Amino acid sequence: MANGGGTLTTVEEWERSEGSPSPLGATWIDPEQAWNFSVFSRHASGMALLLYGADVHHALLELPLDPVRNKSGRIWHCFVKKAAVPGARYYAWRAAGPFNPATGDRFDAQKVLLDPNASAVYFPETFSRDAAGASGSNEGRAPLGVLPGPTPLSGPEQPSPRHSHDAIIYELHVKGFTAHPTSGVTPSHRGTFLGLIEKIPYLKDLGVTVVELLPVHQFDPQEGNYWGYMTLNFFAPHRGYAVSDPIAEFRQMVKAFHEAGIEVWLDVVYNHTAEGGAAGPTYSLRGLDNSSYYLVQPDGSYLNDSGCGNTTRCAHPAVRALVLRSLRYWAGEMSVDGFRFDLASVFARNSRGDVDMEEPAMVHEIGALGSLLDVRLIAEAWDIGAYLLGRSFPGLSWRQWNGQFRDDLRAFVKGDPGKVGALMTRLYGSDDLFPDRPGDVYHPYQSINFITAHDGFCLYDLVAYNHKHNEANGHGNTDGAGDNLSWNCGWEGDHGAPAEVLALRRRQVKNFFTLLMLANGTPMFCAGDEFLNTQFGNNNPYNQDNEITWLDWNHLEQNRDIFRFFQKMIGFRKQRRSLGRSRYWREDVAWYGVSGGVDHSFESRCLAWRLRGENFRESDIYVMINGHWQPLVFEVQEGQANEWRRIVDTSRPSPDDIVDAEAAEPLSSAQYALSPRSVVVLTRSA
């Protein structure tokens, strides 16, 4: 049987008594009616396998492993017949060795340890994070691996959808998307994988072609991290997102998305784990071999480039094998189409924690696996100690979250001076970050363009708050970014906001989304932005599993005009291959100002451009942006006025703010009056 991406198809005679070092984890061998168990630990002096039945407080079997007979290199292994342990359901390990934090060793022979390669995790009713954090035994209170068994073979799935110029990424949280009673989802399915299936018609109607799910790997249910960025196990789907069977329901969800033509990408966290810093719980890696799995400093303390207490030692063969095995499992067994890697710059760190820009093994091995499995690889190319955005990141073919796009677009739309040149660069595809000269050939689609994500203000809060309001998080409002490049349009929050402020906020939202959809690159936006969802000014709601983060679907009915604008703007982009290309616009683009050339002066806040569509048998596009707080008259500087038809004017009320091409009327004059803070999009026939 496959388990975490590995199989045992043959069993040698000696393996029936000694076990096999490969594959890692617990593997069911059906012809033998037995399990093979295998775990890595370089520094353990002893290892014991624990098998449990319904009573998780007392092991059915505790099998000490012989360090000569049951070990190959640094891998401990054994072979157990099912008949020898009737009623066995779960398993774990105990690891003996020195406890000397100064040297990086943190063994505790009494701790019950979760197998890093377990494909499913069981939490007993008496599960306790505190028990894992204290010294001594946590038996009966520890998470356990679920023993694999025979599973029916499933038929091959239809080929997964693959999107290029029409890729529209939608970042969402599995629970937060449907947990609110207003979601319209079957009550028992709210906040689950099955709940997402019920929302697929909505996503198709909106025009989404890729869903990027915040972490779905099993995380610590008692850690208080709603987002899921404190991973406990890299194989098991989070049990809290399932009605009954996490693996089956996750697969069912992916299949449903694929049948709807939507790709599924996962936000994955391999740079740190839920075990945190020195005071954190010992669940798995720390107890099995702390200094092999984590970056420790000469004094034994943890290197904390993740900001979460520990940093995985990604240059170590054991960690690389664990990550690659996990990716192969999710791509192969679970049919996932892409992975967004949290703090991916950690992958470029060597065994001492220094950044290796030349030959970081983890980055290149993931890249090779991605090509082999035909999955998308997306890097968040920074961490606390390194910022490797663009060509600085050694994964040459990876896509990357473009934080510079976010910052420059926010600053321009906010009204900051001196941003016209930066805006041009971001719209063009960020060729400063992803150059395409000989010897350094990148593609604009490698830039994942975004203005909002889970981390930071959502889009409505970006135009409704000047300051973060994170008091609910319990840190005295000291957490979260202080500078968000946000502007509240003249009034902080919603309470008592004048009508003219509320109207301007809607226009600014449309301005942001229009520019996002017009830029070369791959666009991404955050769930709920399309109907002005708010998090009430909280820009770091990582621990808010409540109505702060659950989408309130009442906003959809209240803001149908904004939803319509997003829907139409997405459709506009998907219809035009000339916008999102493999290469830069080059000679197809001409840049203008209000009249004449581009005004690059510091106080300039206006830009226009024409994008030719002839090479794609599409209509030309002419865009005019007035970032000023005063109206300005632009001159359409190409062709005759009546050749151009207005598709978008963000200053107009719905439904005139965006119309279909066949309903658009020709201009009567080359002089076009743009309202303050507005964007206009024109098209002319090919």
Side-chain angles (χ1 to χ4, degrees):
M1 167 183 166
N3 176 55
T7 59
L8 269 176
T9 54
T10 60
V11 178
E12 302 291 348
E13 182 178 349
W14 56 82
E15 291 174 338
R16 292 186 176 93
S17 59
E18 300 176 2
S20 168
S22 178
L24 289 163
T27 304
W28 172 253
I29 309 107
D30 198 61
E32 302 286 333
Q33 291 292 291
W35 295 284
N36 187 80
F37 298 92
S38 175
V39 68
F40 171 90
S41 181
R42 177 181 181 181
H43 296 107
S45 58
M47 191 72 65
L49 173 71
L50 304 172
L51 295 182
Y52 293 91
D55 179 4
V56 297
H57 294 271
H58 303 92
L60 296 173
L61 173 70
E62 182 163 351
L63 178 64
L65 272 58
D66 186 323
V68 174
R69 183 180 180 84
N70 299 114
K71 195 176 180 187
S72 299
R74 311 299 186 187
I75 298 177
W76 302 75
H77 46 78
C78 61
F79 190 90
V80 178
K81 286 281 190 178
K82 182 179 181 180
V85 200
R89 300 181 184 179
Y90 315 112
Y91 76 104
W93 296 97
R94 291 192 196 274
F99 182 83
N100 186 358
T103 62
D105 294 316
R106 294 180 176 271
F107 289 98
D108 183 345
Q110 297 184 68
K111 278 285 179 288
V112 175
L113 302 173
L114 177 67
D115 182 359
N117 288 277
S119 58
V121 180
Y122 172 71
F123 293 92
E125 291 184 4
T126 49
F127 164 71
S128 172
R129 176 181 173 85
D130 291 339
S135 59
S137 176
N138 62 335
E139 189 166 36
R141 296 171 290 174
L144 305 173
V146 178
L147 286 170
T151 57
L153 295 175
S154 58
E157 187 182 328
Q158 294 297 317
S160 299
R162 284 294 182 269
H163 297 282
S164 53
H165 77 282
D166 60 339
I168 308 291
I169 307 169
Y170 189 78
E171 189 200 39
L172 66 85
H173 187 282
V174 172
K175 181 173 185 178
F177 196 61
T178 64
H180 200 279
T182 59
S183 67
V185 167
T186 303
S188 62
H189 291 178
R190 291 175 188 162
T192 69
F193 300 127
L194 297 183
L196 290 188
I197 294 175
E198 294 187 36
K199 282 295 185 182
I200 288 176
Y202 169 83
L203 297 175
K204 284 184 64 65
D205 189 38
L206 178 59
V208 168
T209 57
V210 179
V211 292
E212 182 172 302
L213 306 181
L214 267 68
V216 302
H217 289 173
Q218 180 64 60
F219 55 89
D220 182 351
Q222 294 183 357
E223 196 273 334
N225 189 299
Y226 163 76
W227 278 346
Y229 284 90
M230 297 296 278
T231 310
L232 176 64
N233 174 274
F234 297 130
F235 295 87
H238 185 60
R239 187 163 292 275
Y241 295 159
V243 176
S244 58
D245 186 334
I247 295 176
E249 291 170 27
F250 182 89
R251 286 173 169 162
Q252 183 180 347
M253 177 199 69
V254 172
K255 182 178 181 181
F257 273 121
H258 285 175
E259 290 174 347
I262 298 174
E263 295 183 45
V264 178
W265 297 0
L266 300 187
D267 192 337
V268 289
V269 185
Y270 296 113
N271 62 82
H272 70 278
T273 76
E275 292 184 309
T282 297
Y283 284 131
S284 181
L285 303 182
R286 174 179 288 151
L288 287 169
D289 197 347
N290 184 66
S291 62
S292 290
Y293 285 109
Y294 295 118
L295 284 171
V296 295
Q297 302 186 84
D299 63 357
S301 63
Y302 290 105
L303 192 68
N304 188 23
D305 284 310
S306 68
C308 297
N310 61 52
T311 306
T312 48
R313 191 179 174 188
C314 291
H316 193 282
V319 178
R320 285 154 46 198
L322 180 64
V323 172
L324 294 171
R325 185 178 173 83
S326 171
L327 293 171
R328 183 182 289 275
Y329 174 72
W330 286 94
E333 298 291 320
M334 308 297 264
S335 301
V336 167
D337 306 296
F339 301 95
R340 179 267 187 188
F341 295 88
D342 182 65
L343 303 183
S345 54
V346 168
F347 297 162
R349 295 186 178 277
N350 61 25
S351 287
R352 298 183 303 276
D354 302 321
V355 174
D356 177 5
M357 296 296 296
E358 298 300 321
E359 297 180 354
M362 176 78 93
V363 174
H364 295 318
E365 287 169 352
I366 291 176
L369 183 66
S371 297
L372 178 66
L373 300 177
D374 187 27
V375 293
R376 322 286 197 165
L377 306 176
I378 305 96
E380 183 186 37
W382 54 81
D383 57 47
I384 286 179
Y387 192 77
L388 307 181
L389 180 61
R391 59 181 173 173
S392 297
F393 185 73
L396 300 182
S397 62
W398 293 42
R399 293 165 169 83
Q400 299 180 36
W401 270 27
N402 191 341
Q404 197 61 51
F405 181 97
R406 173 200 60 204
D407 293 347
D408 286 340
L409 267 290
R410 285 186 178 192
F412 178 85
V413 174
K414 173 176 178 277
D416 287 353
K419 289 296 179 181
V420 169
L423 175 66
M424 294 170 64
T425 301
R426 300 303 150 231
L427 293 169
Y428 187 68
S430 296
D431 61 330
D432 59 332
L433 300 171
F434 303 95
D436 64 343
R437 54 179 174 258
D440 220 3
V441 184
Y442 292 85
H443 302 268
Y445 63 72
Q446 291 179 253
S447 171
I448 303 295
N449 298 334
F450 69 103
I451 295 162
T452 60
H454 67 278
D455 191 4
F457 279 145
C458 57
L459 191 53
Y460 180 74
D461 289 1
L462 188 66
V463 299
Y465 294 92
N466 282 354
H467 310 287
K468 62 182 180 178
H469 296 268
N470 297 359
E471 290 80 8
N473 299 349
H475 307 296
N477 204 32
T478 59
D479 62 307
D483 182 10
N484 296 277
L485 294 169
S486 63
W487 179 51
N488 63 17
C489 297
W491 193 277
E492 187 73 359
D494 279 346
H495 184 68
E500 59 271 19
V501 168
L502 297 176
L504 179 55
R505 289 175 181 173
R506 302 173 89 83
R507 185 186 307 175
Q508 289 287 75
V509 164
K510 291 189 288 185
N511 290 339
F512 273 123
F513 197 69
T514 299
L515 296 177
L516 177 65
M517 290 296 112
L518 292 175
N520 201 358
T522 306
M524 181 189 80
F525 66 104
C526 198
D529 283 349
E530 71 274 16
F531 52 73
L532 304 185
N533 180 67
T534 179
Q535 295 179 158
F536 312 103
N538 194 325
N539 75 349
N540 187 41
Y542 74 98
N543 61 358
Q544 297 302 310
D545 186 3
N546 50 50
E547 294 196 0
I548 291 177
T549 52
W550 300 351
L551 294 192
D552 183 348
W553 291 84
N554 283 322
H555 292 301
L556 174 60
E557 297 308 315
Q558 296 161 3
N559 301 299
R560 277 284 176 184
D561 59 323
I562 300 298
F563 173 86
R564 175 186 177 275
F565 187 90
F566 274 57
Q567 181 188 51
K568 294 285 188 183
M569 202 66 225
I570 289 171
F572 182 86
R573 179 184 178 88
K574 288 165 66 175
Q575 292 166 7
R576 286 166 174 78
R577 306 180 76 92
S578 58
L579 285 172
R581 308 185 184 188
S582 171
R583 304 295 175 181
Y584 292 99
W585 292 340
R586 295 194 174 94
E587 67 279 356
D588 280 348
V589 69
W591 302 96
Y592 300 105
V594 175
S595 61
V598 177
D599 181 358
H600 286 284
S601 66
F602 185 68
E603 292 299 329
S604 172
R605 292 173 174 84
C606 295
L607 180 67
W609 76 93
R610 182 268 299 142
L611 182 64
R612 187 181 293 119
E614 180 182 1
N615 290 333
F616 297 87
R617 298 180 181 177
E618 297 172 359
S619 58
D620 293 347
I621 300 169
Y622 197 97
V623 182
M624 298 174 285
I625 308 170
N626 180 9
H628 274 290
W629 42 88
Q630 298 293 333
L632 291 172
V633 177
F634 278 66
E635 180 182 353
V636 179
Q637 299 182 57
E638 289 205 12
Q640 301 299 312
N642 60 7
E643 296 175 1
W644 295 100
R645 297 173 181 265
R646 184 187 66 240
I647 302 296
V648 175
D649 187 336
T650 60
S651 71
R652 289 174 171 257
S654 183
D656 294 330
D657 50 0
I658 183 167
V659 299
D660 296 328
E662 57 270 19
E665 296 183 356
L667 299 186
S668 59
S669 170
Q671 309 300 310
Y672 195 103
L674 262 71
S675 298
R677 301 186 187 273
S678 63
V679 180
V680 169
V681 181
L682 312 174
T683 65
R684 68 175 172 186
S685 300

